[in-house]
Amino acid sequence: MSWLQTLVHSIRESKGLAHKKDIAIAMDELASAQPCDSSCRVGDDCAVLKSADGSFLLFAIEGFMNEFVQEDPWFAGYCGVMVNVSDIAAMGGRATAVVDAVWTADSWQLQRILQGMAAASARYRVPIVGGHTNARNKQAQLAVSIIGSANAVLSSFDAKPGDVLMSVIDLRGSYHGAGNNWNASTDSPAERLRADLELLPQVAEGGLAVACKDISMAGALGTTLMMLECSACGAEIWPAAFPRPQEVSVERWMQTFPSFGFVFSVPPTCVERMKQLFGSRDLRCEPVGHVIEGSMVWVNHESERELLWDFSGIPLLGCSQLNHATDVVGEAHACGSI
């Protein structure tokens, strides 16, 4: 196989993308339970409830793999806050507070998880206002929920043909452990972390992008696929164009979870303004492709072109048909795990 064919195969078979496919089960089983008066549909990073004053309440939850919590309890606790804050930012919002549900086999595990959460809470200035605690379980488990607010919302459902796909990723970090977790948070200046996240509400309120999703464990390409399926669009994507550390291969980077990473669908007239906005804070925001009509997502490298996904044949989340057919909205249960 060629390099691009190998990349396509690795993305299709990746564990991170496989976990996202489980969301389709929730789509099917809970469709009738979705409220009909929400402002965003199933598949977004947060559920969205419109307030009387015209602003939006954001609500999300993240669950974590037991193995991850067991092996690295402090970092799992830290990520419990960090990834939820990222979900709020991806919707153009600002985080308000989190609650947690944690089970462990002993008090040491519990302390390490909560210490990690407390560290992230202080760095991001997002208070932990309650939760559920049990240190007498057979294994460590963690889920963290968050609320936030937004004046304008970025949804996964508003990308349209002709838009430019752009991505911003904080490269000022390193891999945490032997896995594919890129850590640009725990050792970064806290004020910089908060100011960088503030750029996302500015994007939403300034109308610089029409759709956004934070890069999850599905990786940059997997996350882009989810946004495209929600918007019922296809795309041409250049994987090597995503902001990437020089020492990291494209193959690994496409399956990496960055602690600060987002994919946008941007009107062509706003591309330069997006680059300037993030560049003002030393963050690279680069065009990585463009949205097209249809159900096919293609990846390109030099003169080679391969089909990554065709939603008409193999749905990923199953959200496009559900939402476009019934206009059912809301999502808190469908947020993927780290």
Side-chain angles (χ1 to χ4, degrees):
M1 290 192 296
S2 69
W3 177 85
L4 195 58
Q5 289 172 329
T6 301
L7 177 65
V8 166
H9 177 76
S10 67
I11 296 300
R12 288 176 178 169
E13 301 300 318
S14 67
K15 183 182 295 186
L17 200 59
H19 285 304
K20 298 302 178 182
K21 295 177 183 178
D22 296 341
I23 295 173
I25 300 172
M27 298 284 189
D28 291 338
E29 298 300 328
L30 298 180
S32 63
Q34 300 300 320
C36 296
D37 59 348
S38 294
S39 303
C40 281
R41 292 155 284 194
V42 179
D44 268 318
D45 289 317
C46 299
V48 181
L49 301 173
K50 194 169 184 178
S51 302
D53 63 0
S55 63
F56 301 90
L57 173 68
L58 305 179
F59 186 25
I61 187 170
E62 291 281 354
F64 295 81
M65 300 300 296
N66 291 342
E67 295 83 357
F68 175 48
V69 182
Q70 183 73 27
E71 295 170 3
D72 202 344
W74 187 93
F75 192 58
Y78 188 95
C79 288
V81 174
M82 179 182 72
V83 300
N84 270 296
V85 169
S86 184
D87 279 339
I88 295 291
M91 300 292 295
R94 298 172 177 89
T96 302
V98 301
V99 296
D100 66 275
V102 56
W103 298 261
T104 62
D106 55 52
S107 59
W108 179 85
Q109 286 182 323
L110 176 62
Q111 289 173 329
R112 292 296 289 161
I113 292 170
L114 296 178
Q115 287 166 1
M117 286 192 65
S121 170
R123 293 178 67 75
Y124 289 101
R125 286 187 181 168
V126 179
I128 303 168
V129 296
H132 170 89
T133 305
N134 187 318
R136 302 174 189 277
N137 194 35
K138 292 182 179 180
Q139 60 184 356
Q141 296 174 264
L142 175 65
V144 181
S145 185
I146 191 167
I147 59 170
S149 62
N151 297 318
V153 169
L154 290 169
S155 173
S156 300
F157 289 85
D158 294 333
K160 60 185 183 300
D163 285 349
V164 177
L165 291 172
M166 300 189 74
S167 179
V168 60
I169 302 175
D170 191 349
L171 306 182
R172 299 165 295 190
S174 60
Y175 278 107
H176 179 89
N180 288 327
N181 291 319
W182 180 262
N183 179 11
S185 179
T186 60
D187 293 327
S188 299
E191 290 186 2
R192 190 183 79 192
L193 294 176
R194 297 192 292 269
D196 289 350
L197 283 169
E198 177 60 26
L199 296 178
L200 277 296
Q202 292 180 33
V203 169
E205 293 163 6
L208 301 185
V210 296
C212 179
K213 207 161 185 66
D214 77 310
I215 299 175
S216 66
M217 283 301 290
L221 283 177
T223 299
T224 306
L225 281 175
M226 291 190 289
M227 184 176 74
L228 291 167
E229 184 186 26
C230 289
S231 293
C233 293
E236 299 277 355
I237 305 174
W238 285 262
F242 282 84
R244 171 176 55 91
Q246 291 184 347
E247 69 275 13
V248 181
S249 68
V250 176
E251 297 92 331
R252 186 180 188 188
W253 195 242
M254 289 300 97
Q255 297 189 51
T256 291
F257 166 74
S259 50
F260 182 101
F262 302 87
V263 177
F264 303 92
S265 190
V266 178
T269 55
C270 295
V271 168
E272 289 304 316
R273 290 173 64 191
M274 286 284 286
K275 294 175 71 172
Q276 293 170 5
L277 177 66
F278 286 98
S280 69
R281 296 205 52 78
D282 296 323
L283 292 163
R284 286 177 54 195
C285 186
E286 299 291 345
V288 297
H290 57 269
V291 183
I292 62 174
E293 293 184 357
S295 60
M296 296 183 179
V297 179
W298 301 85
V299 288
N300 300 265
H301 182 69
E302 297 178 346
S303 61
E304 191 178 359
R305 183 174 184 250
E306 290 289 335
L307 180 65
L308 175 61
W309 209 277
D310 184 352
F311 299 118
S312 67
I314 308 176
L316 179 54
L317 305 180
C319 60
S320 178
Q321 182 177 356
L322 173 66
N323 286 291
H324 287 278
T326 65
D327 201 34
V328 173
V329 290
E331 192 236 37
H333 66 276
C335 296
S337 58
I338 184 172

